[in-house]
Amino acid sequence: MNRQYFLYSFILILLLGACAKISSPTGGPKDTEAPEVTQYTQQNKALQVPTDLGEIRMNFNELVKLKDAGQIVISPPMEKSPTFSPQGSAKKYVSVVFNEPLKENTTYSINFGQSIEDNNEGNKLKNFSYVFSTGNSLDSLQYEGNIRKINSFSYDDKTVVELYKWDDNYADSTIFKQKPYYIARPDSLGNFKFQYLAEGDYAIIGLDDKNKNLKYDAGVDGLAFMKEKIHVPSTEKSQLITFVEAEKFALKTGSYEEWGKIRIEMKGNPEPKSIEVKSLDKAYENGMITYSPTHDSLYYWFKPATTDSLKESRDGEFQLAVARDGKWLDTLKIRKKINYRPKKIELKQTQLNDDLGIVEFISETPLIKVNSDLISVENKDKKPVNFTAIIDEKNPLRMVVDFPKKYENTYKITLKSNAITDFFDKNNDSLKTEVKIGAESEYGNLKVMLKNAPTTHFWVQLMKDNKVYREVYTNQNIITFKALKSAYYTLKIKVDENENGQWDTGNYFAKKQPEPIYFNFEPTFIKPYWDIDVEWDVTKISRPPAKNAKTDGKSPKRSSTPRPES
């Protein structure tokens, strides 16, 4: 009996222990609220704060911690940085301990950025600032503006705008070495506002601060700057545009891709015409250069000294000297390999987005010569059509065939054997391909009439689904895109201010802004068999539509005209 009593008692204790086990509550809505300050030991925006103030403590309604405390900025900067906590275990307060006396009659602002977050869900208390003065008043001046990226109106939560005092200690290199005097963060439209500023001259910059250190890291961060200082107070607003500087030109590596082809990786995206490559081995000195689409690599093509793989030496190195703008920079040594390419040219045929446009053939090797007598174009009635076939001067891997086209037609393009010769004196096999053109009623036309257009050449890009659908390089005010499939399109302009044939980014030390880019985000709907006219004042800022916004293609600056029946 006693044994049964003790057994039942033991089981009962186990059950009670299980019932008393403490666990985290489950269920219920997820906490999405940012932590809130419930009490200050020194009230926010307080006046006549003693200069020997040792600590400020802010109590919160939940456990919080400081994450990325390096983004906290105190203005004016102090010789001995304050100590901020908690940075390890979470507490229900944030503490600021001053390690030196405060200055008299001075307004201090502590911008916590997004460093304060709750312990459970990581909800951030965004753009929280604490301000106080050791004098009888707070600095009350403000400065406003807008910031965006050069190639879009988007930015991320790392974007900040910074002010540095423009005094005898300020230099161009300051933004690399020191945190700013004041910071502000933009809202969802890119608008920013500095508050509690002291009167004076400032340098203003914007950063896409990837490393969250509030300092400019060239080649990593996007940067916006103004060449001249700003003065506070001011009624003018800054328009800042961030861009990524081109890296300083340098050779990275050389690699032997295959026999007859060496790849040289570069930094700095130089203009193609500025680079020269020369083989120091006379047997391979008659080479040529092509470039990758992004210009971060070039390819040096050379002809084998022999076509017999048994006689070609497998030992030794290629030595290539590389020059830029006539100045020889370096010599690359690249070990030889034996890997022969196919004897015939391999061509891939594509048709550009312009459905009535040119047809292009892409080769794996540079093309040197086209024999048009061995090429023919016929329509659906098997009648010959006049054409031109040329190798692209800027990209010798590309050959284009262009000819007049008519709606509701099919064109057969024939390249007979040996019509094309490449750098290695190899020829193509016979190739046939067809191009089909739909009925005229399937296409619409778009005429773009520009107001306040750039005075230099520029690219007008017709965008579809945020990608370049067609592009025209021009200096005219009226641009027509013909034979467009029915869809929504937007417009973009990239300006070639220095007329060098490529878009150039900015340079901070040279105080050069990036070449302008303009957007027209208002969608234009192309109707089949309609002519659409669009007027665009390039100087007016166009913003992208809100997410999930419905578009109907209507605009007071658009006119639509159906074509008459033929």
Side-chain angles (χ1 to χ4, degrees):
M1 182 72 180
N2 289 337
R3 293 179 61 184
Q4 288 182 335
Y5 173 78
F6 283 118
L7 178 60
Y8 290 143
S9 298
F10 179 70
I11 294 173
L12 180 61
I13 291 171
L14 290 178
L15 291 173
L16 290 173
C19 293
K21 183 178 179 181
I22 299 174
S23 61
S24 299
T26 59
K30 181 179 178 180
D31 178 18
T32 59
E33 298 295 326
E36 297 180 2
V37 179
T38 58
Q39 185 180 23
Y40 298 92
T41 57
Q42 184 69 59
Q43 194 63 31
N44 198 1
K45 301 180 184 179
L47 304 178
Q48 297 180 338
V49 173
T51 58
D52 61 353
L53 179 68
E55 180 185 12
I56 298 170
R57 182 171 290 196
M58 292 153 271
N59 296 324
F60 284 83
N61 64 339
E62 59 181 316
L63 290 171
V64 296
K65 57 186 177 182
L66 291 176
K67 190 174 182 180
D68 298 324
Q71 64 180 290
I72 302 174
V73 171
I74 182 167
S75 307
M78 306 183 76
E79 290 292 331
K80 297 179 181 179
S81 297
T83 302
F84 300 95
S85 62
Q87 297 189 41
S89 59
K91 305 289 184 181
K92 291 194 74 173
Y93 65 85
V94 168
S95 169
V96 181
V97 176
F98 295 102
N99 297 313
E100 65 180 56
L102 303 174
K103 297 178 181 179
E104 294 182 353
N105 299 314
T106 301
T107 296
Y108 286 86
S109 66
I110 305 174
N111 191 316
F112 287 87
Q114 302 183 63
S115 63
I116 300 176
E117 61 179 41
D118 67 37
N119 187 52
N120 292 327
E121 302 294 344
N123 298 313
K124 295 181 181 295
L125 179 58
K126 296 182 179 180
N127 303 324
F128 174 65
S129 293
Y130 178 85
V131 183
F132 64 92
S133 175
T134 56
N136 296 324
S137 63
L138 292 170
D139 291 333
S140 58
L141 299 178
Q142 300 180 351
Y143 187 80
E144 301 179 45
N146 182 271
I147 187 169
R148 67 171 178 86
K149 292 183 179 181
I150 180 65
N151 208 33
S152 70
F153 277 80
S154 64
Y155 51 86
D156 52 38
D157 60 2
K158 300 179 182 65
T159 301
V160 294
V161 186
E162 305 179 345
L163 293 180
Y164 288 85
K165 270 208 166 183
W166 191 301
D167 54 22
D168 293 339
N169 296 320
Y170 178 77
D172 285 344
S173 59
T174 300
I175 67 173
F176 295 84
K177 302 174 182 178
Q178 299 178 17
K179 287 185 178 181
Y181 208 84
Y182 298 104
I183 70 168
R185 297 183 185 274
D187 62 18
S188 60
L189 295 177
N191 300 315
F192 61 85
K193 178 189 286 188
F194 289 94
Q195 295 179 301
Y196 308 109
L197 300 181
E199 181 177 357
D201 296 329
Y202 297 93
I204 184 170
I205 70 165
L207 283 184
D208 296 326
D209 191 20
K210 303 300 183 184
N211 292 330
K212 296 184 178 180
N213 60 5
L214 299 175
K215 302 174 186 177
Y216 177 45
D217 297 312
V220 177
D221 295 336
L223 172 70
F225 70 92
M226 292 183 64
K227 185 177 180 179
E228 305 296 335
K229 61 186 176 184
I230 65 170
H231 182 77
V232 176
S234 174
T235 57
E236 295 183 0
K237 296 183 179 182
S238 295
Q239 175 61 64
L240 299 176
I241 300 177
T242 63
F243 62 92
V244 177
E245 288 189 279
E247 295 181 274
K248 185 178 180 181
F249 176 78
L251 299 175
K252 294 174 66 176
T253 59
S255 58
Y256 201 120
E257 295 249 316
E258 55 185 303
W259 185 235
K261 181 182 179 182
I262 291 175
R263 180 185 181 187
I264 300 176
E265 294 183 59
M266 306 174 293
K267 295 194 301 183
N269 295 336
E271 293 183 38
K273 61 184 179 183
S274 68
I275 302 299
E276 181 180 355
V277 179
K278 181 179 180 181
S279 172
L280 300 184
D281 188 334
K282 292 185 178 180
Y284 309 105
E285 63 182 0
N286 295 321
M288 70 174 296
I289 297 174
T290 62
Y291 286 85
S292 66
T294 56
H295 291 179
D296 59 355
S297 299
L298 66 80
Y299 299 94
Y300 181 76
W301 303 84
F302 60 93
K303 294 181 180 180
T306 175
T307 58
D308 188 342
S309 61
L310 297 178
K311 293 181 180 180
E312 186 69 39
S313 172
R314 295 173 182 265
D315 301 322
E317 296 176 320
F318 286 106
Q319 294 191 54
L320 298 178
V322 182
R324 185 187 184 198
D325 295 326
K327 181 181 179 180
W328 294 100
L329 303 175
D330 200 357
T331 299
L332 298 177
K333 295 182 179 180
I334 303 163
R335 183 167 294 278
K336 292 180 180 179
K337 293 180 182 178
I338 303 299
N339 184 11
Y340 284 94
R341 63 179 62 259
K343 293 183 179 180
K344 295 290 185 180
I345 298 175
E346 297 291 334
L347 293 175
K348 294 181 180 180
Q349 181 266 322
T350 62
Q351 189 173 355
L352 301 185
N353 283 331
D354 182 349
D355 291 338
L356 303 187
I358 61 177
V359 179
E360 65 178 11
F361 294 87
I362 304 299
S363 170
E364 295 181 354
T365 56
L367 304 177
I368 300 298
K369 182 181 178 182
V370 175
N371 185 349
S372 296
D373 292 336
L374 299 178
I375 301 175
S376 62
V377 178
E378 292 182 346
N379 61 19
K380 65 180 181 180
D381 298 323
K382 296 185 178 181
K383 293 183 179 180
V385 177
N386 293 329
F387 68 92
T388 58
I390 58 174
I391 298 169
D392 189 337
E393 291 184 359
K394 294 183 177 181
N395 179 15
L397 302 179
R398 177 176 179 261
M399 182 193 74
V400 298
V401 178
D402 195 15
F403 51 92
K405 303 169 187 67
K406 294 182 178 180
Y407 295 104
E408 298 185 77
N409 217 318
T410 299
Y411 298 90
K412 183 170 71 175
I413 305 172
T414 302
L415 279 67
K416 295 181 180 179
S417 298
N418 304 322
I420 305 172
T421 305
D422 74 358
F423 174 77
F424 298 98
D425 299 320
K426 304 299 181 182
N427 302 109
N428 65 292
D429 282 329
S430 178
L431 174 66
K432 295 182 179 181
T433 187
E434 286 188 350
V435 175
K436 294 183 178 181
I437 308 298
E440 185 177 6
S441 59
E442 299 176 15
Y443 304 92
N445 296 328
L446 173 63
K447 181 191 290 186
V448 181
M449 296 168 287
L450 300 177
K451 184 179 179 182
N452 297 315
T455 56
T456 60
H457 277 81
F458 51 91
W459 294 268
V460 180
Q461 296 178 334
L462 187 66
M463 310 294 292
K464 180 182 177 184
D465 299 327
N466 294 320
K467 296 180 181 179
V468 178
Y469 186 75
R470 289 199 207 169
E471 183 178 73
V472 176
Y473 185 68
T474 182
N475 61 354
Q476 302 300 309
N477 293 337
I478 298 178
I479 302 95
T480 301
F481 296 98
K482 294 184 177 182
L484 295 172
K485 289 287 189 180
S486 181
Y488 284 101
Y489 299 90
T490 58
L491 293 163
K492 180 178 176 180
I493 285 178
K494 301 174 73 172
V495 184
D496 188 11
E497 286 186 321
N498 58 6
E499 301 274 4
N500 68 345
Q502 67 179 25
W503 182 84
D504 296 306
T505 188
N507 185 289
Y508 172 65
F509 282 112
K511 293 295 179 280
K512 178 182 176 295
Q513 297 289 346
E515 292 182 317
I517 298 179
Y518 303 103
F519 301 86
N520 187 338
F521 288 107
E522 190 168 5
T524 297
F525 183 69
I526 299 300
K527 302 178 183 179
Y529 213 50
W530 281 59
D531 295 325
I532 311 296
D533 294 345
V534 173
E535 295 181 15
W536 179 15
D537 187 341
V538 176
T539 59
K540 290 187 177 180
I541 295 178
S542 171
R543 294 189 178 276
K547 291 183 179 179
N548 303 321
K550 295 182 179 181
T551 57
D552 58 8
K554 295 180 181 180
S555 169
K557 290 298 183 181
R558 284 159 169 71
S559 62
S560 304
T561 307
R563 292 181 217 153
E565 296 294 335
S566 56

